[in-house]
Amino acid sequence: VQLQASGGGLVQAGGSLRLSCAASGLTFSNYHMGWFRQAPGKEREFVAAISWSGGSTYYEDSVKGRFTISRDNAKNTVYLQMNSLKPEDTAVYYCATTPWLEASTRRPKDYYNWGQETLVTVSS
């Protein structure tokens, strides 16, 4: 199983980025997916998750209304559209799979197959 995140970069506050996470080696449509981030000196934190069908989504409170998670099962890819970015969104972002998903599925230990990260830097 391989998950590869991409799309990070340097952006000014108020700008937008779209992260992608391409999956291989698994039946992608069988898995719920999540995005996490980790800022320097901080613990990894939940950002958003989406069910296998895309019918259910969950967000960390600080990104609600600014970030949108989506997926394209035909392309084995999950996305994170990030708008109105803030300096506090600066972090490395990871995607991962989870075999079950509900509103409380937000702990890193609930997720597996962590992909390679992508760095997002938001300047003020």
Side-chain angles (χ1 to χ4, degrees), residues 45-104:
E45 67 171 358
F46 172 81
V47 176
I50 188 167
S51 62
W52 67 270
S53 66
S56 296
T57 56
Y58 303 96
Y59 296 93
E60 194 269 331
D61 286 346
S62 69
V63 307
K64 280 182 183 176
R66 300 189 298 122
F67 291 11
T68 302
I69 189 171
S70 62
R71 65 189 297 159
D72 184 338
N73 287 343
K75 295 183 178 180
N76 288 0
T77 302
V78 60
Y79 304 98
L80 186 68
Q81 178 66 44
M82 306 187 296
N83 299 329
S84 302
L85 282 161
K86 303 175 180 181
E88 51 263 44
D89 295 317
T90 295
V92 290
Y93 283 71
Y94 302 85
C95 58
T97 65
T98 181
W100 63 84
L101 182 64
E102 54 189 22
S104 60

Side-chain angles (χ1 to χ4, degrees), residues 12 17 21 30 32-33 37-38 47 79 81 88 103 115:
Q12 288 189 331
L17 284 174
C21 173
N30 287 351
H32 311 301
M33 299 294 297
R37 65 186 179 187
Q38 187 165 16
V47 176
Y79 304 98
Q81 178 66 44
E88 51 263 44

Side-chain angles (χ1 to χ4, degrees), residues 1-7 19-24 33 35 76-78 93-96 113-118:
V1 175
Q2 187 170 18
L3 302 179
Q4 177 68 58
S6 62
L19 305 185
S20 299
C21 173
S24 59
M33 299 294 297
W35 283 98
N76 288 0
T77 302
V78 60
Y93 283 71
Y94 302 85
C95 58
N113 301 316
W114 292 90
Q116 200 161 3
E117 72 275 14
T118 188

